[in-house]
Amino acid sequence: MSEPRVPGSRDASLTLPCGESVDVRRFDMGMREFRCECGEVHAIVMDVHPLGRFVPEFLETILLETIDTASGADFGTLHMLGIVKEEFPQKVVSKDVSNDGQLGCSMLWVSDFDDRRLHEIVVELIIELMEHAVSHADDDAAMSEFEEQMLSFDVAAFVEEYRSQRDFHSASDQPV
């Protein structure tokens, strides 16, 4: 017998990178982390979360204007988390939850990393994208300047400052 097409009627379980299984309906758009039964805290990202969660909006705008995607869609969280998952296939799981109207998103990612470490990884990967783009400019001076600037760039310090300015530690921004 076929299953009726009722939102939320599909399998809502997700096996996390640690091996635990969780009902995705426990997550909501305001969550950044999930305290798991395994004892660890896992980062949660949804496609509705803007890339500005990780980098300033001016950089998000530059990435949107600069990067052409194979799908033709704007570069954003969907693509960035795809890159993270590609780099860390055993540490990130994703689920298409577009048929579940209770969540308010279409894609969900849960990582083995906590939110802070995931934030650092995203920034590191964006720097790699930028370095790749500069290398294709065939401008040795630009490449040298970029490399020189990156030598003094501290990812962990950037993430710390960005998170403190964005107030990622408010009462509503804690692991559940």
Side-chain angles (χ1 to χ4, degrees), residues 24-61:
V24 297
R25 294 183 192 121
R26 292 184 62 189
F27 304 142
D28 64 59
M29 291 187 293
M31 293 175 67
R32 286 191 173 80
E33 293 186 319
F34 170 73
R35 188 167 308 281
C36 183
E37 296 295 323
C38 74
E40 297 297 320
V41 175
H42 302 292
I44 297 170
V45 181
M46 297 179 182
D47 62 334
V48 295
H49 294 151
L51 199 52
R53 171 179 170 177
F54 302 105
V55 294
E57 282 78 9
F58 80 87
L59 184 54
E60 180 180 9
T61 300

Side-chain angles (χ1 to χ4, degrees), residues 101-118:
Q102 293 180 349
L103 281 169
C105 67
S106 295
M107 283 296 296
L108 169 72
W109 296 268
V110 180
S111 77
D112 208 28
F113 314 109
D114 66 13
D115 188 53
R116 180 182 180 83
R117 179 62 188 134
L118 178 63

Side-chain angles (χ1 to χ4, degrees), residues 11 20-21 26 28 30 33 48 53 60 66 69 82 89 110 113 116 120 123 125-126 128 130 133 138 142 144 161 169:
D11 180 29
E20 294 287 335
S21 186
R26 292 184 62 189
D28 64 59
E33 293 186 319
V48 295
R53 171 179 170 177
E60 180 180 9
T66 307
T69 64
V110 180
F113 314 109
R116 180 182 180 83
E120 291 173 352
V123 171
L125 291 172
I126 287 174
E128 286 182 26
M130 292 166 61
D138 292 328
S144 293
E161 183 176 342
H169 302 289

Side-chain angles (χ1 to χ4, degrees), residues 2-106:
S2 65
E3 180 180 348
R5 295 233 180 242
V6 176
S9 64
R10 296 207 167 194
D11 180 29
S13 66
L14 175 65
T15 302
L16 303 177
C18 64
E20 294 287 335
S21 186
V22 64
D23 185 331
V24 297
R25 294 183 192 121
R26 292 184 62 189
F27 304 142
D28 64 59
M29 291 187 293
M31 293 175 67
R32 286 191 173 80
E33 293 186 319
F34 170 73
R35 188 167 308 281
C36 183
E37 296 295 323
C38 74
E40 297 297 320
V41 175
H42 302 292
I44 297 170
V45 181
M46 297 179 182
D47 62 334
V48 295
H49 294 151
L51 199 52
R53 171 179 170 177
F54 302 105
V55 294
E57 282 78 9
F58 80 87
L59 184 54
E60 180 180 9
T61 300
I62 291 170
L63 293 169
L64 286 169
E65 293 171 353
T66 307
I67 299 175
D68 293 324
T69 64
S71 67
D74 287 341
F75 182 84
T77 302
L78 179 72
H79 296 94
M80 195 66 239
L81 267 290
I83 294 169
V84 173
K85 187 173 178 175
E86 185 176 303
E87 289 291 319
F88 300 96
Q90 304 302 316
K91 303 278 186 184
V92 179
V93 295
S94 61
K95 185 170 180 87
D96 179 344
V97 292
S98 57
N99 287 328
D100 192 327
Q102 293 180 349
L103 281 169
C105 67
S106 295

